[in-house]
Amino acid sequence: MATEQKPASPPLTERQEARRRRILHASAQLASRGGFDAVQMREVAENSQVALGTLYRYFPSKVHLLVATMQDQLQQMHETLRKRPPAAQAPSARVAETLMRAFRALQREPQLADAMLRALTFADRSVSPEVDTVSRLTTAIILDAMRLPGPPTAEQLSAVRVIEHTWHSALVTWLSGRASIAQVKIDIETVCRLIDLTASE
Amino acid sequence: MATEQKPASPPLTERQEARRRRILHASAQLASRGGFDAVQMREVAENSQVALGTLYRYFPSKVHLLVATMQDQLQQMHETLRKRPPAAQAPSARVAETLMRAFRALQREPQLADAMLRALTFADRSVSPEVDTVSRLTTAIILDAMRLPGPPTAEQLSAVRVIEHTWHSALVTWLSGRASIAQVKIDIETVCRLIDLTASE
DNA sequence: AGCGAGTCTGAAACTTGTTCTAGATTAGCG
DNA sequence: CGCTAATCTAGAACAAGTTTCAGACTCGCT
């Protein structure tokens, strides 16, 4: 299995790659300040020194842009986790530890988290491929944390799916102020018990 | 415990109550047709024979309106379920049956479901009270399905929270075309196993 | 160096959510 | 009934996402 790669339609030139980075950087920066609403397309264009039309050529909508931003952040998180993998004994505990670590990272940039997650859950069918990429990245992170000896069973994949659902939804309730940090922790720990369930059967 | 009731700030006159109903009806109707995007505030106002400013007096934003629409629909679902409660033996199976029944109802109006769920997950802090009401309604429906002998334990409440997370998120992935109906069914059944876990400990 | 296709820019226009305003209407009350 | 405050209406105005367009620029190629 090769390292994850996009279809990579036409390979971008260097300047294009640079533009893309500037855009993503500006997006993340504005998001960090004021969350979803603060990421205004005109301002992203200005801050990344790109015309509005160009911005839209690179990212066909605000949601596309923010989902791409999330991909970026997740990728980094994945790297970080690879370097310092979770230490707990049980697979379920390792997954919980991993997610709590990610959660703590998000707490440091709650506005950025807001922007990315709102975009992710608001995305419609036109963003499905990109959202799917985020989903696959998340799955990869969780499976890494489980450190299975072999390929995951169907049951384990189901458990992972449910964990992802809970993860996303719990974050949303936290971001909208309807759940405390402690509550999210409990939810994560609760859902991770599903993993133990699949191990024993 | 009395039947659920809002703070009911100033009691509405009859005509005001009628206006509110017309608005909610127009909202649901437009949503059924074209989903979230088709619910346009100007059109809702027109179809419910109310000025735009009045619409905004009743519902301070599009998201408020759609979340209120969801409250309405959930209320009805709750009634329906009361009349024909789930028949399965195990509590977890009853919950799964209930959610699958609700899911089938949503499948009949996928566009309406889209509008309501997108609004629900997109809602920011200003809509928290209303979203919370939806959450409490959902919790009530699930607890009803469990038919516990006494009040739920903390553990059981956690399981219910996780079920709700999964329920919402699974619906979102279905609506955005990233998961099949069968997949949602599996996810629901998977997460419902958490209930069995809390029963035995 | 010069050409053609594709890309980028700057600016205006369009759409839809939201706010504002001035004037009618209505509800509740003496 | 007649008054007053609150509510409602019609419509303009504003904000931000998205689209469009004419002209300038860049890239890959010969």
Side-chain angles (χ1 to χ4, degrees):
Chain A
M1 208 182 301
T3 59
E4 306 151 35
Q5 212 65 62
K6 305 288 158 45
S9 351
L12 298 184
T13 76
E14 206 164 311
R15 306 186 61 191
Q16 286 175 323
E17 193 53 54
R19 266 187 213 108
R20 188 166 194 283
R21 292 227 176 294
R22 284 206 307 278
I23 292 172
L24 284 175
H25 183 257
S27 165
Q29 187 165 314
L30 286 172
S32 300
R33 293 224 204 309
F36 188 88
D37 294 332
V39 181
Q40 302 194 354
M41 299 304 269
R42 286 174 176 81
E43 207 161 343
V44 171
E46 233 179 283
N47 290 9
S48 49
Q49 298 181 276
V50 136
L52 191 53
T54 306
L55 171 52
Y56 273 96
R57 172 184 283 275
Y58 281 73
F59 301 97
S61 77
K62 173 169 174 172
V63 167
H64 281 85
L65 171 58
L66 284 172
V67 170
T69 304
M70 180 151 195
Q71 280 181 26
D72 229 40
Q73 303 288 313
L74 260 189
Q75 210 97 47
Q76 286 178 233
M77 172 62 55
H78 202 174
E79 292 304 311
T80 306
L81 286 169
R82 244 191 241 292
K83 281 176 208 152
R84 297 202 300 112
Q89 284 294 315
S92 62
R94 282 198 299 273
V95 173
E97 186 185 333
T98 298
L99 293 181
M100 280 308 294
R101 224 193 272 178
F103 183 34
R104 255 171 256 122
L106 292 179
Q107 281 168 241
R108 267 173 249 128
E109 295 284 5
Q111 300 280 49
L112 176 58
D114 171 78
M116 296 189 306
L117 272 226
R118 296 264 291 286
L120 195 72
T121 58
F122 191 61
D124 66 359
R125 299 180 113 80
S126 72
V127 203
S128 287
E130 289 79 4
V131 174
D132 229 68
T133 300
V134 167
S135 181
R136 270 196 302 279
L137 261 172
T138 310
T139 303
I141 289 176
I142 295 175
L143 285 176
D144 272 14
M146 288 173 73
R147 276 187 232 134
L148 297 172
T153 67
E155 236 185 344
Q156 287 168 328
L157 285 178
S158 291
V160 171
R161 287 176 57 87
V162 170
I163 289 171
E164 273 185 62
H165 287 318
T166 302
W167 166 243
H168 282 155
S169 178
L171 285 178
V172 167
T173 61
W174 166 64
L175 287 166
S176 65
R178 301 198 318 282
S180 65
I181 291 175
Q183 192 63 264
V184 172
K185 185 164 193 272
I186 291 174
D187 291 351
I188 289 175
E189 284 163 357
T190 301
V191 77
C192 282
R193 294 219 256 151
L194 277 176
I195 291 178
D196 301 330
L197 245 168
T198 66
S200 54
E201 272 173 81
Chain B
M1 207 184 302
T3 59
E4 306 151 34
Q5 210 68 62
K6 306 286 157 47
S9 353
L12 298 184
T13 74
E14 205 164 311
R15 305 185 61 191
Q16 286 176 321
E17 193 53 54
R19 267 189 212 106
R20 188 166 194 283
R21 292 229 173 291
R22 284 206 307 277
I23 293 173
L24 284 175
H25 183 257
S27 166
Q29 186 165 313
L30 286 171
S32 301
R33 294 226 204 308
F36 187 87
D37 293 332
V39 180
Q40 302 194 354
M41 298 305 267
R42 284 174 234 275
E43 208 162 341
V44 172
E46 235 180 279
N47 291 7
S48 48
Q49 298 183 278
V50 138
L52 190 54
T54 306
L55 170 52
Y56 273 96
R57 171 184 285 273
Y58 281 74
F59 301 97
S61 79
K62 174 170 172 171
V63 169
H64 281 85
L65 171 57
L66 284 172
V67 171
T69 303
M70 180 152 194
Q71 280 181 28
D72 230 40
Q73 304 286 315
L74 260 189
Q75 210 98 45
Q76 286 177 233
M77 173 62 57
H78 202 173
E79 293 303 313
T80 306
L81 287 168
R82 243 191 244 292
K83 282 177 207 151
R84 297 203 298 114
Q89 284 295 314
S92 62
R94 282 199 299 273
V95 172
E97 185 184 333
T98 298
L99 293 181
M100 280 307 294
R101 221 192 274 179
F103 183 33
R104 254 172 258 123
L106 291 179
Q107 282 168 241
R108 265 173 251 127
E109 294 284 3
Q111 299 280 49
L112 176 59
D114 171 77
M116 297 190 304
L117 274 211
R118 297 265 288 287
L120 197 71
T121 57
F122 191 62
D124 66 1
R125 299 180 112 80
S126 73
V127 204
S128 287
E130 288 79 4
V131 174
D132 229 68
T133 299
V134 168
S135 180
R136 270 197 302 280
L137 261 172
T138 309
T139 303
I141 288 176
I142 295 175
L143 285 176
D144 273 14
M146 289 173 70
R147 276 187 232 132
L148 297 172
T153 67
E155 236 186 346
Q156 287 169 327
L157 285 178
S158 292
V160 171
R161 285 176 58 87
V162 170
I163 290 172
E164 273 185 62
H165 288 317
T166 302
W167 166 241
H168 283 155
S169 178
L171 285 177
V172 167
T173 62
W174 166 64
L175 287 167
S176 64
R178 303 197 319 281
S180 65
I181 291 176
Q183 192 63 269
V184 172
K185 185 165 193 269
I186 291 174
D187 291 351
I188 290 175
E189 284 163 358
T190 300
V191 76
C192 282
R193 293 219 255 151
L194 276 176
I195 292 178
D196 301 330
L197 245 168
T198 65
S200 53
E201 274 172 79

